[in-house]
């Protein structure tokens, strides 16, 4: 009996991991203040290097989200991306294969035909609309902390996403938002010594939205893990 009880936390975590997905369509429903507070409290339990907790989160709600959404769509339409952290130079091998598979799953779900650059560009622009989410957060780290600050922020993001899932919320981590760091720094009055890592759009998921109808695959652990004994 004790052995069965001991599996309960692992089973709950496994279920959250299996059910979580990158949400790209949200209901027009505000998150109650107490739910938002609980989400942030749960995410704050994230571990970090020497407990430095380098993340800072700027969270927008309601009208503030809508104002930034409108400005961001217009700004990103004709600007060259400039990010605080360099994006990958290229994707090759399995990384490229997985990236393409994810993209085509999304395009198929929303009806974008292969080769339709105009339609794919419209779908990409949804990033800057926050996919209609009522809330968006911008995550930053201290510039002096370098790569370790960014790594800690990545751990925080994972905890944020799982916490959101446990509360019945949908969320998506968006590197696309960080591709216009100057815009966000100015609009949100972020200090120069804070590097923008990414954005998080979140709210209650719209399960009827076609963009939420697919799930990405995960590699077999044996293909990415080397075990020594």
């Amino acid at each position: 009996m004790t052995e069965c009880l001991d599996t309960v936390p692992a089973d709950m975590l496994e279920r959250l991991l299996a059910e979580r997905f990158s949400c790209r369509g949200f209901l027009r429903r505000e998150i109650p203040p107490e739910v938002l507070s609980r989400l942030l409290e749960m995410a704050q339990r994230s571990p970090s290097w020497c407990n430095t907790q380098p993340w800072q989160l700027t969270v927008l709600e309601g009208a503030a989200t809508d104002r930034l959404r409108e400005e961001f769509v217009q700004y990103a339409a004709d600007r060259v991306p400039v990010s605080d952290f360099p994006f990958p130079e290229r994707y090759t091998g399995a990384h490229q294969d997985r990236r393409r598979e994810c993209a085509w799953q999304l395009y198929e779900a929303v009806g974008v035909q292969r080769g339709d650059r105009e339609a794919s560009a419209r779908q990409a622009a949804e990033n800057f609309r926050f996919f209609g989410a009522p809330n968006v957060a911008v995550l930053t780290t201290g510039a002096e902390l370098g790569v370790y600050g960014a790594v800690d922020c990545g751990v925080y993001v994972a905890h944020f996403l799982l916490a959101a899932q446990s509360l019945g919320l949908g969320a998506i981590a968006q590197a696309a938002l960080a591709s216009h760091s100057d815009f966000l720094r100015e609009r949100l009055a972020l200090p120069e010594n804070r590097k923008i890592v990414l954005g998080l759009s979140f709210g209650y998921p719209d399960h009827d939205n076609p963009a939420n109808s697919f799930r990405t695959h995960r590699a077999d652990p044996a293909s990415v893990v080397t075990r020594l004994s």
Side-chain angles (χ1 to χ4, degrees):
M1 185 67 174
T2 302
E3 183 178 349
C4 292
L5 288 175
D6 287 345
T7 68
V8 171
D11 291 342
M12 293 173 63
L13 177 57
E14 188 172 36
R15 178 179 174 182
L16 288 174
L17 289 166
E19 293 181 349
R20 190 209 65 79
F21 66 100
S22 292
C23 187
R24 295 180 175 87
F26 296 86
L27 299 174
R28 295 183 63 84
R29 175 185 171 190
E30 296 295 330
I31 300 175
E34 63 274 16
V35 176
L36 179 56
S37 294
R38 191 176 183 191
L39 168 62
L40 298 175
E41 289 167 2
M42 293 168 72
Q44 192 64 26
R45 303 302 304 175
S46 176
S48 58
W49 185 273
C50 298
N51 197 35
T52 52
Q53 303 175 56
W55 49 79
Q56 289 286 320
L57 204 64
T58 301
V59 180
L60 285 76
E61 309 173 57
T65 305
D66 290 334
R67 285 194 299 271
L68 187 66
R69 189 193 332 269
E70 182 177 350
E71 293 178 4
F72 214 157
V73 170
Q74 296 177 2
Y75 182 92
D78 58 359
R79 298 300 201 290
V80 175
V82 178
S83 61
D84 287 346
F85 288 97
F87 278 31
E89 294 181 7
R90 61 186 177 279
Y91 294 91
T92 61
H95 305 136
Q96 175 72 313
D97 293 340
R98 293 167 190 155
R99 185 171 184 263
R100 284 174 173 166
E101 180 185 36
C102 177
W104 287 121
Q105 283 182 281
L106 172 60
Y107 291 160
E108 183 177 1
V110 299
V112 174
Q113 301 298 315
R114 294 195 180 216
D116 190 340
R117 295 181 179 275
E118 184 176 339
S120 62
R122 283 198 302 271
Q123 180 59 43
E126 285 295 302
N127 277 283
F128 306 109
R129 292 188 60 256
F130 319 135
F131 300 106
N135 297 80
V136 65
V138 175
L139 181 67
T140 68
T141 181
E144 73 282 4
L145 298 176
V147 66
Y148 287 102
V151 168
D152 283 340
C153 284
V155 178
Y156 175 88
V157 168
H159 282 68
F160 184 101
L161 295 175
L162 287 176
Q165 182 69 27
S166 75
L167 293 168
L169 302 173
I172 182 170
Q174 296 172 265
L177 303 189
S179 69
H180 294 288
S181 294
D182 289 348
F183 167 82
L184 289 174
R185 182 169 288 104
E186 178 186 350
R187 295 303 193 279
L188 303 180
L190 300 173
E192 289 294 331
N193 67 342
R194 301 299 302 178
K195 283 195 170 187
I196 296 172
V197 181
L198 49 70
L200 290 154
S201 294
F202 60 104
Y204 288 97
D206 179 0
H207 292 291
D208 292 329
N209 190 307
N212 290 333
S213 65
F214 73 97
R215 298 293 180 269
T216 53
H217 304 115
R218 293 297 182 271
D220 189 312
S223 69
V224 300
V225 176
T226 301
R227 300 175 62 174
L228 304 176
S229 60

